[in-house]
Amino acid sequence: AKHESALGGVCFFSEEMESGFTSRRLCFTRIKSAIANQGVVVLYQPQINPVSGDVEAVEALMRLRDDDGQLVSPVQFIGLAEETRLIIPLGEQMIRIALDQLGRWCDDGLHIRMCINISPVQFLDAHFLAAILKAIEACGVDPKLVELEVTESLMMKHLDSVRSDMQKLRALGVSISIDDFGTGFSSLSYLRELPVDVLKIDKAFVDPLRGDPSDDVLVRTVATLAKSIGVLSVAEGVETEEQARHLKDLGVSLLQGYHFSRPVPADQLNTRYSL
Ligand code: C2E
Ligand code: MG
Ligand code: MG
Ligand code: MG
């Protein structure tokens, strides 16, 4: 079952949970309990430089630990968390965990960027900017190692209200990445108006790469756009060696996907790959 939220988020439920109000209630209860009981778990998925093989960044991906210890996918709870604004306390825990981890990696001499997904509900909250700056300061990491992944819809619908926050973040060295770039049917004009550092090429554009030269038209276009406006490109959903090679040949800056690694706990992160 699929529930569209007022904010365009989607909450999925498994068959046994499916019954309107009850499943929303259950999802809500799980989120509340995760917030109260340290149930937010963060996994990390590496982004690999295809030329050097070095891991230059990781994307932090949230999970909720269930009562029975199982990890619940964000696909199941982000929509309702946005609708109820519980994404704000969830996101705060997430940010603290991810930045603490970043601090530990830096202490160990591993200087990689930490990419954190920020929902429009979080970004537009009046306290967001102060909260993220405080969190960065508290863990003592270089703001240059922090990257916030936002969506095209945030940029499009709220251009004026996000501009000054983004400029303040940028002034401190925090990067802004556009997640799922190209799927939002949006105008590209915001790219000139906002301090964007990274375009994340959606998996939907990477999937068709199967060796036929005509398969790569959309990926090639985004990679070229990124290069011409001087921002990094990151391909997500890289599942095969062939896709990795093709994306490398197109000059995509970083590759992320199951071909290299699934999202893993911090202690299982591999920091170098051979391509
Ligand atoms: P996203 O930001 O676009 O993250 C990429 C998703 O693709 C992740 O799913 C990742 O596990 C998955 N993925 C990566 N490589 C591959 C691959 O090669 N093949 C396939 N099939 N999938 C791949 P995940 O972790 O389930 O997250 C889903 C979405 O939930 C994320 O999409 C993001 O929009 C949202 N999300 C995750 N964590 C957070 C968070 O902390 N805060 C917020 N606001 N949203 C989050
Ligand atoms: Mg993301
Ligand atoms: Mg994405
Ligand atoms: Mg995506």
Side-chain angles (χ1 to χ4, degrees):
K2 185 177 159 184
H3 302 263
E4 298 284 345
S5 79
L7 294 153
V10 173
C11 198
F12 288 89
F13 302 97
S14 62
E15 292 309 312
E16 67 270 19
M17 286 193 274
E18 183 175 349
S19 66
F21 184 65
T22 313
S23 43
R24 286 171 62 84
R25 274 287 292 272
L26 186 53
C27 186
F28 183 78
T29 306
R30 282 182 166 191
I31 297 169
K32 292 283 275 189
S33 140
I35 293 167
N37 305 311
Q38 263 74 48
V40 176
V41 174
V42 184
L43 300 181
Y44 304 91
Q45 189 178 32
Q47 297 179 355
I48 292 101
N49 176 326
V51 177
S52 67
D54 289 336
V55 171
E56 293 191 357
V58 295
E59 178 171 9
L61 294 156
M62 181 167 14
R63 305 287 182 265
L64 296 187
R65 195 183 303 286
D66 217 342
D67 297 334
D68 54 13
Q70 298 280 89
L71 297 186
V72 182
S73 153
V75 177
Q76 298 202 38
F77 63 81
I78 293 286
L80 189 66
E82 288 181 331
E83 217 178 303
T84 56
R85 300 183 66 80
L86 288 173
I87 191 68
I88 292 169
L90 273 185
E92 278 170 7
Q93 289 201 15
M94 155 80 194
I95 287 166
R96 191 179 40 71
I97 295 167
L99 292 181
D100 277 355
Q101 184 57 52
L102 180 60
R104 275 194 291 278
W105 276 328
C106 287
D107 290 344
D108 295 345
L110 181 63
H111 297 271
I112 53 179
R113 284 197 309 285
M114 178 67 75
C115 309
I116 302 177
N117 292 283
I118 306 293
S119 125
V121 177
Q122 286 170 276
F123 203 101
L124 294 169
D125 181 63
H127 307 290
F128 175 73
L129 183 69
I132 184 95
L133 296 181
K134 196 173 149 201
I136 292 172
E137 202 178 307
C139 70
V141 296
D142 182 349
K144 285 200 179 64
L145 295 178
V146 179
E147 182 170 311
L148 304 182
E149 294 193 8
V150 300
T151 60
E152 284 178 296
S153 66
L154 173 73
M155 309 298 246
M156 285 299 295
K157 292 189 203 140
H158 307 280
L159 187 62
D160 290 319
S161 50
V162 301
R163 186 189 282 114
S164 82
D165 281 1
M166 284 192 180
Q167 285 165 347
K168 281 175 198 147
L169 287 163
R170 162 60 87 70
L172 281 164
V174 174
S175 317
I176 303 287
S177 164
I178 310 299
D179 207 352
D180 306 330
F181 183 77
T183 61
F185 304 104
S186 60
S187 140
L188 294 178
S189 58
Y190 70 82
L191 290 177
R192 286 193 308 169
E193 300 205 33
L194 293 172
V196 171
D197 302 281
V198 180
L199 300 183
K200 278 199 92 171
I201 306 170
D202 195 67
K203 181 175 181 300
F205 300 148
V206 173
D207 285 340
L209 295 180
R210 291 208 182 82
D212 186 329
S214 65
D215 292 341
D216 71 5
V217 57
L218 292 174
V219 169
R220 183 185 290 274
T221 302
V222 180
T224 306
L225 170 67
K227 236 176 277 173
S228 61
I229 62 174
V231 305
L232 296 182
S233 53
V234 178
E236 64 176 28
V238 182
E239 292 184 345
T240 68
E241 187 175 347
E242 186 171 48
Q243 289 171 336
R245 212 174 309 121
H246 198 143
L247 292 160
K248 179 186 179 182
D249 291 343
L250 290 176
V252 173
S253 319
L254 296 172
L255 312 184
Q256 174 181 351
Y258 293 174
H259 172 61
F260 300 100
S261 172
R262 292 192 172 243
V264 293
D267 59 358
Q268 287 171 32
L269 185 78
N270 192 353
T271 57
R272 260 194 77 75
Y273 287 84
S274 54
L275 277 101

